[in-house]
Amino acid sequence: MSDILEKIVATKKVEVAADSQKISLANQREQAEENNRDETLKPRGFIHSINQKIASGKAGVIAEIKKASPSKGILREHFHPAEIAQSYANNGAACLSVLTDRNYFQGANAYLQSARAACSIPVLRKDFTIDSYQIYEARALGADAILLIVACLERNQMQELEACAHELGLDVLVEVHSAPELEQALDLKTPLLGINNRNLKTFEVTLQTTLSLLSMVPAGKTIVTESGIMNRADVQLMRNHHINAFLVGEALMRATDPGVALGELFN
Ligand SMILES: O=P(O)(O)OC[C@@H](O)[C@@H](O)c1c[nH]c2ccccc12
Protein backbone atom coordinates (compact mmCIF):
# COMPACT_ATOMS: atom_id res chain seq x y z
CA MET A 1 0.00 0.00 0.00
CA SER A 2 1.26 3.44 -0.76
CA ASP A 3 1.96 5.76 2.14
CA ILE A 4 -1.34 6.90 3.73
CA LEU A 5 0.10 10.35 4.41
CA GLU A 6 0.84 10.82 0.69
CA LYS A 7 -2.73 9.88 -0.12
CA ILE A 8 -4.16 12.20 2.50
CA VAL A 9 -2.05 15.12 1.27
CA ALA A 10 -3.12 14.49 -2.33
CA THR A 11 -6.78 14.55 -1.29
CA LYS A 12 -6.18 17.62 0.86
CA LYS A 13 -4.81 19.60 -2.09
CA VAL A 14 -7.99 18.92 -4.05
CA GLU A 15 -10.17 19.81 -1.04
CA VAL A 16 -8.38 23.10 -0.38
CA ALA A 17 -8.72 24.09 -4.03
CA ALA A 18 -12.47 23.36 -3.92
CA ASP A 19 -13.03 25.00 -0.50
CA SER A 20 -11.29 28.21 -1.56
CA GLN A 21 -13.72 28.44 -4.48
CA LYS A 22 -16.64 28.28 -2.06
CA ILE A 23 -15.28 30.71 0.55
CA SER A 24 -12.51 33.01 -0.67
CA LEU A 25 -9.24 33.51 1.17
CA ALA A 26 -10.21 37.17 1.66
CA ASN A 27 -13.45 36.10 3.34
CA GLN A 28 -11.69 33.64 5.63
CA ARG A 29 -9.18 36.30 6.59
CA GLU A 30 -11.93 38.79 7.35
CA GLN A 31 -13.76 36.27 9.56
CA ALA A 32 -10.49 35.34 11.29
CA GLU A 33 -9.78 38.99 12.09
CA GLU A 34 -13.33 39.53 13.27
CA ASN A 35 -13.01 36.53 15.57
CA ASN A 36 -9.84 38.00 17.05
CA ARG A 37 -11.86 41.04 18.16
CA ASP A 38 -14.66 38.93 19.65
CA GLU A 39 -14.43 38.14 23.37
CA THR A 40 -15.71 34.55 23.02
CA LEU A 41 -13.91 33.70 19.78
CA LYS A 42 -10.46 35.22 20.30
CA PRO A 43 -7.61 32.71 20.89
CA ARG A 44 -7.74 31.03 24.30
CA GLY A 45 -4.02 30.31 24.69
CA PHE A 46 -3.44 26.67 23.83
CA ILE A 47 0.17 26.34 24.96
CA HIS A 48 -0.47 28.40 28.07
CA SER A 49 -3.25 26.04 29.13
CA ILE A 50 -0.97 22.99 28.82
CA ASN A 51 1.91 24.63 30.64
CA GLN A 52 -0.39 25.77 33.43
CA LYS A 53 -1.53 22.19 34.12
CA ILE A 54 2.06 20.97 34.10
CA ALA A 55 3.20 23.78 36.43
CA SER A 56 0.57 22.64 38.93
CA GLY A 57 2.00 19.12 38.87
CA LYS A 58 -0.73 17.63 36.66
CA ALA A 59 -0.57 16.11 33.21
CA GLY A 60 -1.28 18.50 30.33
CA VAL A 61 -3.82 16.48 28.38
CA ILE A 62 -4.95 17.31 24.87
CA ALA A 63 -8.11 15.23 24.62
CA GLU A 64 -9.09 14.28 21.11
CA ILE A 65 -12.52 14.22 19.48
CA LYS A 66 -12.22 11.72 16.61
CA LYS A 67 -15.02 9.62 15.14
CA ALA A 68 -12.88 7.34 13.00
CA SER A 69 -9.34 6.84 11.71
CA PRO A 70 -7.80 5.17 8.65
CA SER A 71 -6.05 2.58 10.82
CA LYS A 72 -8.94 1.69 13.17
CA GLY A 73 -12.15 2.54 11.29
CA ILE A 74 -15.09 3.82 13.37
CA LEU A 75 -14.05 4.44 16.98
CA ARG A 76 -17.34 5.75 18.30
CA GLU A 77 -20.91 5.47 17.05
CA HIS A 78 -22.55 7.75 19.65
CA PHE A 79 -20.67 10.86 18.51
CA HIS A 80 -21.74 14.25 19.89
CA PRO A 81 -18.79 16.66 19.91
CA ALA A 82 -20.39 19.22 22.25
CA GLU A 83 -21.20 16.55 24.84
CA ILE A 84 -17.72 15.02 24.59
CA ALA A 85 -16.08 18.46 24.86
CA GLN A 86 -17.96 19.22 28.08
CA SER A 87 -17.10 15.86 29.54
CA TYR A 88 -13.41 16.33 28.74
CA ALA A 89 -13.33 19.86 30.15
CA ASN A 90 -15.12 18.78 33.35
CA ASN A 91 -12.60 16.00 33.89
CA GLY A 92 -9.44 18.08 33.68
CA ALA A 93 -8.41 18.21 30.01
CA ALA A 94 -6.06 21.14 29.34
CA CYS A 95 -7.14 21.40 25.71
CA LEU A 96 -9.12 19.65 22.98
CA SER A 97 -8.03 18.33 19.60
CA VAL A 98 -10.83 18.06 17.04
CA LEU A 99 -10.38 16.17 13.78
CA THR A 100 -11.79 18.19 10.90
CA ASP A 101 -10.56 15.98 8.03
CA ARG A 102 -13.67 14.59 6.32
CA ASN A 103 -12.38 11.92 4.02
CA TYR A 104 -10.11 9.82 6.25
CA PHE A 105 -11.26 10.66 9.79
CA GLN A 106 -14.96 11.42 9.29
CA GLY A 107 -14.34 14.82 10.85
CA ALA A 108 -16.04 18.14 10.13
CA ASN A 109 -15.42 21.83 10.64
CA ALA A 110 -18.76 22.01 12.44
CA TYR A 111 -17.48 19.54 15.06
CA LEU A 112 -14.75 22.00 16.00
CA GLN A 113 -17.21 24.87 16.28
CA SER A 114 -19.68 22.99 18.44
CA ALA A 115 -16.98 21.47 20.66
CA ARG A 116 -15.41 24.86 21.29
CA ALA A 117 -18.73 26.54 21.96
CA ALA A 118 -19.57 23.89 24.57
CA CYS A 119 -16.57 24.57 26.83
CA SER A 120 -13.98 27.20 27.69
CA ILE A 121 -10.73 25.32 27.05
CA PRO A 122 -8.58 25.90 23.91
CA VAL A 123 -9.04 23.77 20.79
CA LEU A 124 -6.55 22.45 18.24
CA ARG A 125 -7.77 22.05 14.69
CA LYS A 126 -6.47 18.58 13.90
CA ASP A 127 -6.01 18.43 10.16
CA PHE A 128 -3.31 18.14 7.53
CA THR A 129 -2.16 21.71 7.04
CA ILE A 130 -0.48 22.26 3.68
CA ASP A 131 -1.71 25.72 2.69
CA SER A 132 -2.12 29.08 4.43
CA TYR A 133 -5.79 29.06 3.36
CA GLN A 134 -6.40 26.38 6.00
CA ILE A 135 -4.84 28.56 8.69
CA TYR A 136 -7.17 31.50 8.04
CA GLU A 137 -9.99 28.98 7.88
CA ALA A 138 -8.93 27.48 11.22
CA ARG A 139 -9.05 30.86 12.95
CA ALA A 140 -12.31 31.70 11.15
CA LEU A 141 -13.77 28.51 12.68
CA GLY A 142 -12.57 29.58 16.12
CA ALA A 143 -9.56 27.26 16.46
CA ASP A 144 -6.91 28.26 19.02
CA ALA A 145 -4.07 26.18 17.54
CA ILE A 146 -3.11 24.34 14.38
CA LEU A 147 -1.02 21.25 13.67
CA LEU A 148 2.00 21.23 11.36
CA ILE A 149 3.19 17.73 10.43
CA VAL A 150 6.84 17.84 9.38
CA ALA A 151 6.46 14.73 7.20
CA CYS A 152 4.12 16.54 4.82
CA LEU A 153 5.92 19.90 4.54
CA GLU A 154 9.03 21.46 3.07
CA ARG A 155 11.31 23.42 5.38
CA ASN A 156 10.48 26.90 4.02
CA GLN A 157 6.81 26.14 3.71
CA MET A 158 6.69 25.06 7.35
CA GLN A 159 8.23 28.33 8.51
CA GLU A 160 5.82 30.35 6.37
CA LEU A 161 2.83 28.46 7.73
CA GLU A 162 4.03 28.97 11.28
CA ALA A 163 4.48 32.71 10.70
CA CYS A 164 0.97 32.90 9.26
CA ALA A 165 -0.48 31.11 12.30
CA HIS A 166 1.38 33.32 14.76
CA GLU A 167 0.24 36.47 12.96
CA LEU A 168 -3.34 35.36 13.58
CA GLY A 169 -2.66 34.58 17.24
CA LEU A 170 -2.82 30.80 16.77
CA ASP A 171 -0.47 28.49 18.64
CA VAL A 172 1.34 25.78 16.71
CA LEU A 173 1.84 22.10 17.53
CA VAL A 174 4.62 20.72 15.33
CA GLU A 175 4.58 16.95 14.88
CA VAL A 176 7.53 14.64 14.22
CA HIS A 177 8.12 10.90 14.05
CA SER A 178 11.88 10.60 13.52
CA ALA A 179 15.23 12.23 14.26
CA PRO A 180 15.54 14.00 10.87
CA GLU A 181 12.01 15.37 11.26
CA LEU A 182 12.77 16.52 14.78
CA GLU A 183 15.81 18.37 13.53
CA GLN A 184 13.61 20.24 11.03
CA ALA A 185 10.98 20.99 13.65
CA LEU A 186 13.61 22.77 15.72
CA ASP A 187 13.78 25.46 12.99
CA LEU A 188 10.39 26.63 14.17
CA LYS A 189 9.67 29.10 16.95
CA THR A 190 6.92 27.09 18.60
CA PRO A 191 7.85 25.50 21.93
CA LEU A 192 5.19 22.78 21.50
CA LEU A 193 6.68 19.63 20.01
CA GLY A 194 4.54 16.58 19.34
CA ILE A 195 6.20 13.20 18.96
CA ASN A 196 3.85 10.82 17.16
CA ASN A 197 4.26 7.24 18.32
CA ARG A 198 2.33 6.06 15.26
CA ASN A 199 4.27 5.40 12.09
CA LEU A 200 2.01 6.77 9.37
CA LYS A 201 3.56 4.46 6.78
CA THR A 202 2.90 1.20 8.63
CA PHE A 203 0.43 2.32 11.37
CA GLU A 204 2.71 0.63 13.87
CA VAL A 205 2.56 2.28 17.30
CA THR A 206 5.36 2.16 19.87
CA LEU A 207 5.96 4.48 22.80
CA GLN A 208 9.67 3.89 22.24
CA THR A 209 9.44 6.53 19.50
CA THR A 210 8.98 9.25 22.11
CA LEU A 211 11.64 7.82 24.42
CA SER A 212 14.22 7.45 21.65
CA LEU A 213 13.92 11.09 20.51
CA LEU A 214 13.95 12.63 23.99
CA SER A 215 17.67 13.26 24.21
CA MET A 216 17.62 15.36 21.02
CA VAL A 217 15.09 17.85 22.35
CA PRO A 218 16.60 21.07 23.71
CA ALA A 219 15.45 22.70 26.96
CA GLY A 220 12.51 25.05 26.66
CA LYS A 221 10.36 22.77 24.51
CA THR A 222 7.19 21.12 25.81
CA ILE A 223 7.07 17.58 24.45
CA VAL A 224 3.65 16.12 23.71
CA THR A 225 3.61 12.35 23.38
CA GLU A 226 1.01 11.49 20.74
CA SER A 227 -0.86 8.26 19.95
CA GLY A 228 -1.01 4.88 21.62
CA ILE A 229 -1.50 6.08 25.19
CA MET A 230 -3.94 3.37 26.31
CA ASN A 231 -3.57 2.86 30.08
CA ARG A 232 -2.12 4.21 33.31
CA ALA A 233 1.13 2.29 32.83
CA ASP A 234 1.69 4.15 29.54
CA VAL A 235 1.11 7.46 31.31
CA GLN A 236 3.44 6.49 34.15
CA LEU A 237 6.18 5.42 31.73
CA MET A 238 6.06 8.84 30.10
CA ARG A 239 5.91 10.73 33.38
CA ASN A 240 8.94 8.76 34.62
CA HIS A 241 10.78 10.36 31.69
CA HIS A 242 9.45 13.82 32.60
CA ILE A 243 7.02 13.89 29.70
CA ASN A 244 3.95 15.60 31.03
CA ALA A 245 1.90 16.46 27.95
CA PHE A 246 -0.25 13.88 26.17
CA LEU A 247 -2.44 13.72 23.08
CA VAL A 248 -4.97 10.94 23.55
CA GLY A 249 -7.76 9.83 21.24
CA GLU A 250 -8.74 6.20 20.84
CA ALA A 251 -8.61 5.15 24.51
CA LEU A 252 -11.10 7.93 25.34
CA MET A 253 -13.25 7.65 22.22
CA ARG A 254 -14.00 3.99 22.85
CA ALA A 255 -15.19 4.65 26.43
CA THR A 256 -18.87 5.13 27.30
CA ASP A 257 -18.05 8.52 28.82
CA PRO A 258 -14.80 9.88 27.35
CA GLY A 259 -14.26 12.41 30.16
CA VAL A 260 -14.64 9.79 32.89
CA ALA A 261 -12.09 7.66 31.03
CA LEU A 262 -9.75 10.65 30.92
CA GLY A 263 -10.07 11.05 34.69
CA GLU A 264 -9.33 7.36 35.22
CA LEU A 265 -6.26 7.54 32.99
CA PHE A 266 -4.69 10.64 34.53
CA ASN A 267 -6.12 11.45 37.98
O1 LIG B 1 -6.01 7.70 19.01
P1 LIG B 1 -4.63 7.77 19.62
O2 LIG B 1 -3.78 6.56 19.32
O3 LIG B 1 -4.68 8.08 21.09
O4 LIG B 1 -3.87 9.00 18.90
C1 LIG B 1 -4.30 10.35 19.04
C2 LIG B 1 -3.51 11.25 18.09
O5 LIG B 1 -2.17 11.21 18.45
C3 LIG B 1 -3.67 10.80 16.63
O6 LIG B 1 -5.03 10.91 16.31
C4 LIG B 1 -2.86 11.66 15.67
C5 LIG B 1 -1.58 12.07 15.85
N1 LIG B 1 -1.16 12.83 14.81
C6 LIG B 1 -2.16 12.91 13.92
C7 LIG B 1 -2.22 13.60 12.71
C8 LIG B 1 -3.38 13.55 12.02
C9 LIG B 1 -4.47 12.81 12.47
C10 LIG B 1 -4.43 12.13 13.67
C11 LIG B 1 -3.26 12.17 14.41
Side-chain angles (χ1 to χ4, degrees), residues 5 8 62 64 66 68-72 75 97 99 101 105 126-128 147 149 173 175 195-198 200 205 225-230 246-253:
L5 194 58
I8 293 175
I62 306 170
E64 191 149 274
K66 167 169 80 169
S69 76
S71 57
K72 303 285 176 86
L75 296 169
S97 161
L99 264 296
D101 177 77
F105 290 86
K126 192 65 148 352
D127 211 311
F128 299 82
L147 176 70
I149 303 173
L173 171 62
E175 176 178 305
I195 300 180
N196 195 354
N197 298 309
R198 180 172 292 111
L200 289 175
V205 179
T225 187
E226 303 182 352
S227 309
I229 302 292
M230 301 307 283
F246 299 82
L247 175 50
V248 188
E250 179 180 348
L252 309 178
M253 281 293 101

Side-chain angles (χ1 to χ4, degrees), residues 26-225:
N27 273 341
Q28 296 286 18
R29 184 199 289 254
E30 217 171 283
Q31 185 63 56
E33 286 166 359
E34 197 178 311
N35 287 356
N36 282 354
R37 295 188 295 267
D38 182 307
E39 220 26 65
T40 59
L41 287 168
K42 71 181 191 202
R44 287 175 176 170
F46 191 87
I47 294 174
H48 177 73
S49 182
I50 294 170
N51 286 339
Q52 227 178 7
K53 286 278 183 196
I54 296 174
S56 70
K58 299 185 183 120
V61 183
I62 306 170
E64 191 149 274
I65 299 184
K66 167 169 80 169
K67 184 172 171 64
S69 76
S71 57
K72 303 285 176 86
I74 301 266
L75 296 169
R76 186 176 186 81
E77 293 288 354
H78 176 84
F79 188 78
H80 298 292
E83 216 175 88
I84 300 166
Q86 274 174 1
S87 178
Y88 279 158
N90 290 339
N91 286 283
C95 298
L96 304 180
S97 161
V98 181
L99 264 296
T100 57
D101 177 77
R102 300 180 282 258
N103 211 24
Y104 298 89
F105 290 86
Q106 299 191 31
N109 291 340
Y111 294 163
L112 187 148
Q113 292 173 300
S114 52
R116 192 180 189 275
C119 67
S120 58
I121 59 178
V123 181
L124 171 78
R125 185 200 196 182
K126 192 65 148 352
D127 211 311
F128 299 82
T129 313
I130 51 162
D131 192 295
S132 58
Y133 178 86
Q134 296 164 281
I135 299 179
Y136 292 104
E137 182 185 38
R139 189 77 276 280
L141 291 167
D144 304 287
I146 57 144
L147 176 70
L148 293 178
I149 303 173
V150 173
C152 47
L153 297 167
E154 301 293 333
R155 248 188 159 100
N156 291 344
Q157 190 189 17
M158 205 162 63
Q159 288 173 346
E160 283 165 24
L161 293 173
E162 181 186 55
C164 176
H166 283 166
E167 222 171 280
L168 288 170
L170 287 160
D171 282 339
V172 172
L173 171 62
V174 62
E175 176 178 305
V176 306
H177 178 70
S178 66
E181 286 178 13
L182 172 56
E183 194 236 315
Q184 284 191 53
L186 297 179
D187 283 353
L188 298 188
K189 296 196 173 78
T190 183
L192 198 61
L193 181 74
I195 300 180
N196 195 354
N197 298 309
R198 180 172 292 111
N199 181 334
L200 289 175
K201 294 191 169 75
T202 61
F203 292 139
E204 191 204 344
V205 179
T206 165
L207 302 189
Q208 285 308 314
T209 306
T210 293
L211 301 183
S212 70
L213 294 178
L214 267 190
S215 65
M216 281 180 64
V217 180
K221 300 282 178 187
T222 299
I223 298 174
V224 182
T225 187

